Amino acid sequence: MPTIQWFPGHMAKARREVSEKLKFVDIVFELIDARLPLSSRNPMLDQIVQQKSRLILLNKSDLADPNQTNLWVNYFREAGHHVLALTAKDDKSVKQIVPASKKVLAEKIARDQEKGIKPRAIRAMVLGIPNVGKSTLLNHLAGKKIASTGNRPGVTKGQQWLRFGTQLELLDTPGILWPKFEDPEVGQRLALTGAIKDDLLHLDDLALYELEVFTRFYPEQLKERYKLTDENLTLELPELLLLIAEKRGFKDDYERASEMLILELRQGRLGRYTLDRFEELSE
Ligand code: G4P
């Protein structure tokens, strides 16, 4: 788990680096975690990206609740964005990116055509907070006949372009931005998925939060994993945690049970889930 410390100086530097690279691309791929479509976004992204064309990629959609992902995809579309639900680990899923990018840039491509400008590969960069899958996406694109195209004048020294087929070129280093860490609820959600290591959060608080989400939204998944009854789920959450500890043979070791619950969630043993709930938007 990466532990990047974000101080004002680092944030300004990250922002500067992204702004610098933006000049050389046609489109930005904003990667967010489909389980956290709001919490895993950078709070200043609109200001940083400004008018540059953007494709939002709801990554790790294989881990997220598909009903929630559909709602979030529609939400972003209605807000005027282009968006794709993605699994960066899956080549078939990654292949959707080129046609989706062409759609985003359709007007520009048509304009160039009218002017008689020869079509060229779309130039893109990947952008997102730590752990949303930026390197995974680049690697999966790179796995497919990618050739480094060498330095291009003007781009930061050492910066390379990676070519995906003939139609897409990517900057080989992603833009890394910071999450909305000043909001404690966002911090809790990011920590539960394993996106950040938050030493201020106690494991038992995280585990109780996990139980709150699963008893409310995914009770069947919780019952199945820990062999619980409907009645068990009516217990107060700390009691439920103790019951799970007991069932696992941890007696009353709250800490150990909390650790196990969080680990199993992160390993995907509790099934698919989404922590940023679409319905919270209208609350
Ligand atoms: P970053 O560059 O944005 O920091 O993220 P990175 O690609 O390192 O991905 C962070 C973790 O998320 C990795 O897991 C990676 O495998 C996983 N991941 C990325 N995209 C997907 C996806 O679409 N679906 C799933 N299920 N996982 C994804 P890790 O446990 O840190 O590493 P590893 O065990 O894969 O080596």
Side-chain angles (χ1 to χ4, degrees), residues 59-60 62-63 87-89 129-136:
N59 190 36
K60 307 197 189 185
D62 57 319
L63 304 177
T87 300
K89 282 181 159 183
I129 68 165
N131 226 50
V132 285
K134 297 179 295 301
S135 319
T136 307

Side-chain angles (χ1 to χ4, degrees), residues 53 82 101-114:
S53 298
H82 293 267
S101 304
K102 281 187 176 168
K103 248 193 209 167
V104 179
L105 296 169
E107 271 181 36
K108 181 187 177 293
I109 293 171
R111 256 195 332 266
D112 284 356
Q113 231 163 13
E114 262 170 41

